[in-house]
């Protein structure tokens, strides 16, 4: 679906590696804003219910990583994965998957997800408030294309995954070229 809406402005609390810090956790806090991630770039943002969850860890994130170079050929500057998880969880998840290309955005409080209209309750799974699964093509902070899974609802019994898959998003971009 084609839409044009600005992404909400929020500040994300991230943890970045800092080699000047000694010890087993050489990371420091760094605030990054929506403008840092989405301003002046053409990016893919995809969101999922949670780090370390089966579909997200087995298919969605690894396949965006594998297809990264194909997205670059379509004029995509970066691919971001956002989840209602804190920076510690997102960093550990990225490390466990050996990510090199896709960048992870921690939305620990769910502020960005809520302002995007994608925050849902997943109490039936013991998750609390999380993101509905979606992807978006964002150009200089404006959402140009939207890929939302069917069945948006609180405590959804299923976990739909097709529309926001990297394969579908890439195919849509290629067809539009």
């Amino acid at each position: 679906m084609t839409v044009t809406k600005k992404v909400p402005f929020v500040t994300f609390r991230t943890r970045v590696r800092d080699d000047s810090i000694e010890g087993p956790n050489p990371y420091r806090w760094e605030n990054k804003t929506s403008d840092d991630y989405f301003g002046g770039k053409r990016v893919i943002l995809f969101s999922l219910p949670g780090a370390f969850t089966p579909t997200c860890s087995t298919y969605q994130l690894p396949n965006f990583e594998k297809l990264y170079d194909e997205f670059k050929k379509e004029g995509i500057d970066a691919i971001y994965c956002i989840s209602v998880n804190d920076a510690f969880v997102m960093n550990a998840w990225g490390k466990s998957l050996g990510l090199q290309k896709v960048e992870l955005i921690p939305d620990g409080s769910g502020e960005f997800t809520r302002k995007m209209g994608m925050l849902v309750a997943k109490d039936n799974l013991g998750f609390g408030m999380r993101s509905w699964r979606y992807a978006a093509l964002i150009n200089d902070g404006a959402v140009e294309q939207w890929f939302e899974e069917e069945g948006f609802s609180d405590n959804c019994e299923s976990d739909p995954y097709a529309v926001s898959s990297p394969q579908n998003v890439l195919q849509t971009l290629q067809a539009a070229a």
Side-chain angles (χ1 to χ4, degrees):
M1 168 169 47
T2 302
V3 293
T4 306
K5 111 177 185 179
K6 291 291 276 179
V7 297
F9 184 84
V10 302
T11 298
F12 300 97
R13 296 282 289 153
T14 69
R15 299 278 293 166
V16 296
R17 186 169 183 86
D18 183 341
D19 291 329
S20 72
I21 298 173
E22 294 184 21
N25 190 7
Y27 291 84
R28 63 176 164 74
W29 288 107
E30 182 174 285
N31 288 338
K32 291 189 121 183
T33 68
S34 300
D35 290 347
D36 293 326
Y37 287 115
F38 308 116
K41 301 179 250 195
R42 188 169 184 242
V43 304
I44 298 294
L45 172 71
F46 68 99
S47 188
L48 36 79
F52 294 102
T53 57
T55 300
C56 309
S57 296
T58 307
Y59 302 107
Q60 195 171 19
L61 180 51
N63 284 328
F64 269 107
E65 179 84 2
K66 285 178 196 163
L67 293 171
Y68 184 88
D69 293 333
E70 296 302 312
F71 279 100
K72 292 291 273 186
K73 291 176 188 173
E74 298 303 316
I76 299 301
D77 297 309
I79 299 176
Y80 301 121
C81 172
I82 192 165
S83 183
V84 180
N85 290 114
D86 63 61
F88 295 101
V89 170
M90 294 297 275
N91 283 354
W93 188 37
K95 186 176 180 179
S96 77
L97 292 173
L99 290 185
Q100 299 291 316
K101 299 173 181 180
V102 173
E103 294 181 54
L104 302 179
I105 302 175
D107 187 21
S109 69
E111 180 185 7
F112 183 87
T113 300
R114 179 179 55 79
K115 289 179 177 178
M116 288 291 283
M118 291 285 105
L119 194 64
V120 294
K122 290 200 167 275
D123 297 318
N124 60 326
L125 299 175
F127 287 2
M129 301 304 288
R130 295 296 178 102
S131 181
W132 189 253
R133 196 182 300 278
Y134 70 90
L137 169 62
I138 300 171
N139 194 352
D140 193 21
V143 176
E144 289 189 347
Q145 283 190 288
W146 188 253
F147 304 85
E148 181 179 325
E149 297 298 339
E150 293 182 7
F152 177 89
S153 62
D154 286 336
N155 299 310
C156 187
E157 290 300 319
S158 62
D159 182 21
Y161 175 64
V163 176
S164 66
S165 74
Q167 295 85 346
N168 183 60
V169 174
L170 181 59
Q171 187 176 33
T172 302
L173 291 177
Q174 290 170 333

